[in-house]
Every structure is written in C-alpha cells, then in structure tokens.
Amino acid sequence: MSVNLLDFDAKALIDFCAGIGEKSFRAKQLLRWIHRSGEADFAGMSDLGKELRDKLSTAAIIEPPRVISDHTAIDGTRKWLLSVGAGNGIETVFIPETNRGTLCISSQVGCALACTFCSTGRQGFNRNLTVAEIIGQLWWANKALAEEFQEDAARSRAVTNVVMMGMGEPLANFENVVTALDLMLDDNAYGLSRRRVTVSTSGLVPAMDRLRERCPVALAVSLHAPNDALRDQLVPINKKYPIKELLAACQRYLQFAPRDFITFEYVMLEGVNDSLTHARELVQLVQHTSCKFNLIPFNPFPGSGYRRSSPEAVRLFRDVLMQAGLITTVRKTRGDDIAAACGQLAGKVYDKTRRVNREIVEATR
Ligand code: SAH
Ligand code: SF4
C-alpha cells in the first residue's frame, strides 16, 4: 500500500528515500515541494527526473484531508470543514489580523476530556488525527489563502502563526502533534518560529513535561477557575492533575519555553467563575508563575446551559488582574456568525465513547 508523504517529517522522509534507494537530499527536495510549494502531484515536481517521479508515484501518495465546506465570516474569519473519512469532519479556522494571520488547527475528532462549556467536548470522541490530517490543515490553508491573495504577493503566505486550539486536546495525541509541530518549524517546510506556534492544553501534566523535552513551543494553559473545587466541575481532567501539579508543570515548562511566560486562558461564564472574589483568588494563585491572562468571553452553543459574562463583568475582572500587575487581554470574538469562535467548533463527530449516545451531524452548526 502506498504511504502518504504528508505523514512524514524530515527524518521520516530521509528513511523513506533510503527505502526506495534514493539519497537523503531527495528528502529535502520532497519536503520543499510538498510543503513550501503545496504540490500534491509528483508529475509537477520539475527538478526530479522522470524515472524518480514514476518511482514515487508507485510507492507513495500526497493526500491531505478533503475540503467539504468553506465559509467566510463578516469579519474575514474563514472556516473550513475537512473530511477525515467514515463520516467524520474536523474544522480549521483562519483569523486575519492587521499584522498577522493565525490558523487555528484541530488535533482530534472530538475530545474525550468533556469540559462542560465546550462544544467539542460535548460531542464525545472518535479518534486522534494523523500527522497528514493535522499538517494537512496548514497545507490547505496556505494553498487556499495564496489563491485568495494572489493579487497581493506580500500576503501570499498569509499564515504567520499557528495555534493548536481547534477541536481536541493536542497533548492527548502527542506523537502525531509533535511530528506536525516539527514540520511547522522546519525551514524546508513552513519555517515558523517556536514563538509563533502555540499549543493549548487543558493541563495534561506528564505530556506538558514531554513537550518541554521534545518541542518546546509557546504554551497556553486552559485554567478557567482559581480553585480545584470549581475547576473539577468545569475541566474534569483537573481531578487527575489538580491545580498545584499543573502550576508546577508550568514552572518546569518555563525553563524551556520560547517566551518567558505561560498564557492562561480563562473562559468567562456568567455567575460561575467571573466574580471579583474569583479574580482575587486567581491573583493569589499565580503569584509565583510568570504568566499572562487571556480572558475568553464564553461562546454559546445550543444546549450549553451557560451564559457569557457581561462586558462590565469582564472589564472589572480584568482590572483586578491588571492592578495586580498581570498582563491581561480579552479575546475578541471572531467569526461567531459562522460558528468559528473558540469552543464552537463542532465538525462532525461520530462519538465512540458512548457518552453522547447518538450521532451528531452538524447538529450544533
Ligand atoms: N483542548 C485544548 C485546546 C482546544 S480549546 C484546551 O482545552 O486548551 C481552545 C480554547 O477554547 C480553550 O481554552 C478552551 O477552554 C476554550 N473554549 C472551549 N469552549 C469554549 C466556549 N464555548 N467559549 C469560549 N472558549 C471556549
Ligand atoms: Fe477538549 Fe479543550 Fe474542549 Fe476541554 S476545552 S473538551 S480539553 S477541546
């Protein structure tokens, strides 16, 4: 059976080339064709001889996930639904800003961690994405955006930043995510710096330690509560890795991190975690951790049972953090008219965990 070259990082491509009797510099050529030029057809790889192109065609394919739909929101946010087979779909979101373009990438079909305020978490879990399906999202976005901006050469590679904040918990799909990260950072592929690639985690402590060793990109941690009693309810994985252990892992990560702070994400849920008492408790909690805060106004989805905190409550909460010297930003809600905002990504997930005992097909879209 043919292998999919989108599954391979530089080292795996060298091994593949060796396996078909080719020198290792061919791996570099392939990497550049596939990822820098977005070429999926060996016939188009003009500096490889005909014989080699034929050999590649019999041994391998270059197959990204297929695009099922493509929507652009009023604010320019663009969302793709990609098919990953067996009726499952994942979502990828591009968020254009003045000086940068951020691509929000999914790592799993659904998510098993079941945070109560998250649409993906409510859908249950089907499977981990392959490397090809993860890096394929960046591959597609670059191609689609290059077409969109072809009039404007300066913007032809519009993805300047990647955040692993789409569907799924990236650190629960560790090996595939790390291989995809390697490709994002590889100069022959996407050439992004470690500062411009962010992994967001709900706090899988052992995997945070492994990421620190293997590929220390920028880290965002979904905190969402200032104490274990509340976090246990919102982010159930907290029962396994409570806040004290999570903060200790953050300290260890900081020694290797490309930025000298961890970003704490905090979803603002009205009447749940948004009081001034919570804000003050949070200040105490993180006083020894170098961090910034990103407050995310809750993005509703049908049947969530939560409400977004009022702008006033968010402002007062932010003021308490800022007065304590914590740099705090409030995340702008982008693309909510096409359900592309944080926590609204649903895709199509055939749940295998039996938690959601029915098929959800675009029910929340
Ligand atoms: N699984 C990872 C990354 C994906 S979620 C994580 O949990 O960190 C990306 C961010 O969106 C997380 O901070 C998550 O808590 C937040 N989020 C989830 N549902 C949300 C919602 N309905 N409204 C706003 N933010 C949400
Ligand atoms: Fe999974 Fe993150 Fe959603 Fe929690 S917030 S259910 S970890 S995707």
Side-chain angles (χ1 to χ4, degrees):
M1 213 177 85
S2 294
V3 291
N4 186 355
L5 297 191
L6 270 183
D7 274 319
F8 292 168
D9 63 4
K11 189 182 169 304
L13 269 179
I14 291 173
D15 293 345
F16 165 77
C17 287
I20 58 166
E22 293 293 331
K23 297 218 169 65
S24 62
F25 76 93
R26 295 294 186 196
K28 184 169 157 183
Q29 281 179 307
L30 279 169
L31 209 56
R32 294 174 77 97
W33 272 117
I34 298 168
H35 297 286
R36 294 189 73 107
S37 309
E39 185 57 77
D41 185 353
F42 295 114
M45 301 185 178
S46 50
D47 60 356
L48 307 182
K50 169 94 173 65
E51 207 179 311
L52 174 55
R53 295 199 310 253
D54 289 346
K55 188 151 80 170
L56 287 168
S57 307
T58 43
I61 51 171
I62 299 164
E63 195 171 89
R66 201 166 45 81
V67 174
I68 303 176
S69 70
D70 178 349
H71 290 102
T72 303
I74 296 162
D75 64 11
T77 300
R78 194 163 165 187
K79 180 173 86 167
W80 295 274
L81 175 66
L82 306 177
S83 162
V84 291
N88 288 307
I90 51 151
E91 294 184 319
T92 307
V93 178
F94 177 69
I95 306 143
E97 288 169 287
T98 317
N99 295 317
R100 61 179 181 184
T102 303
L103 192 71
C104 180
I105 290 186
S106 295
S107 56
Q108 300 183 306
V109 184
C111 183
L113 298 185
C115 301
T116 51
F117 51 85
C118 172
S119 171
T120 307
R122 286 282 179 93
Q123 288 182 293
F125 175 71
N126 185 283
R127 66 170 174 86
N128 281 332
L129 294 181
T130 63
V131 176
E133 290 161 345
I134 299 169
I135 205 68
Q137 298 170 61
L138 180 53
W139 189 92
W140 260 122
N142 269 336
K143 224 176 162 61
L145 296 166
E147 276 170 30
E148 183 181 321
F149 296 128
Q150 65 185 346
E151 305 296 303
D152 181 353
R155 294 181 69 191
S156 65
R157 278 183 87 80
V159 178
T160 61
N161 294 57
V162 169
V163 293
M164 300 294 306
M165 293 185 188
M167 297 167 66
E169 165 53 50
L171 296 186
N173 181 12
F174 189 86
E175 288 303 328
N176 292 350
V177 164
V178 165
T179 304
L181 293 175
D182 284 342
L183 283 166
M184 291 174 203
L185 305 184
D186 194 315
D187 282 337
N188 290 310
Y190 300 93
L192 297 171
S193 78
R194 287 194 291 133
R195 302 165 63 88
R196 289 180 176 272
V197 176
T198 301
V199 165
S200 173
T201 181
S202 55
L204 300 187
V205 166
M208 287 166 67
D209 287 330
R210 286 167 68 204
L211 187 69
R212 182 192 73 200
E213 302 286 331
R214 282 280 297 280
C215 192
V217 293
L219 188 68
V221 172
S222 293
L223 195 53
H224 305 318
N227 58 60
D228 283 326
L230 184 53
R231 196 165 190 269
D232 280 352
Q233 287 172 31
L234 301 176
V235 185
I237 195 69
N238 193 66
K239 292 179 198 142
K240 193 160 180 194
Y241 306 114
I243 291 177
K244 192 160 173 255
E245 286 181 31
L246 178 58
L247 291 181
C250 290
Q251 292 290 5
R252 295 192 291 276
Y253 199 91
L254 277 166
Q255 293 162 19
F256 292 78
R259 297 172 184 263
D260 56 6
F261 59 89
I262 302 281
T263 302
F264 286 127
E265 294 161 287
Y266 195 98
V267 64
M268 298 291 292
L269 304 163
E270 187 176 72
V272 176
N273 66 354
D274 66 346
S275 73
L276 294 185
T277 312
H278 291 125
R280 291 188 198 107
E281 203 180 344
L282 206 50
V283 168
Q284 289 297 313
L285 184 72
V286 302
Q287 59 182 332
H288 301 301
T289 307
S290 170
C291 63
K292 288 188 183 174
F293 270 86
N294 195 210
L295 305 180
I296 317 174
F298 170 66
N299 292 308
F301 54 91
S304 75
Y306 291 108
R307 285 187 310 269
R308 179 183 289 179
S309 304
S310 69
E312 176 69 356
V314 175
R315 194 177 59 73
L316 292 172
F317 197 96
R318 187 197 60 186
D319 287 351
V320 172
L321 301 187
M322 297 279 273
Q323 275 155 22
L326 294 166
I327 295 174
T328 306
T329 49
V330 177
R331 192 174 293 174
K332 273 203 236 119
T333 298
R334 299 289 304 259
D336 56 349
D337 52 323
I338 56 166
C342 300
Q344 289 182 324
L345 300 188
K348 290 181 174 185
V349 179
Y350 289 86
D351 180 40
K352 281 192 169 168
T353 60
R354 290 165 175 267
R355 200 179 58 243
V356 183
N357 209 4
R358 65 194 164 97
E359 293 173 351
I360 297 182
V361 183
E362 299 198 56
T364 53
R365 288 161 57 75

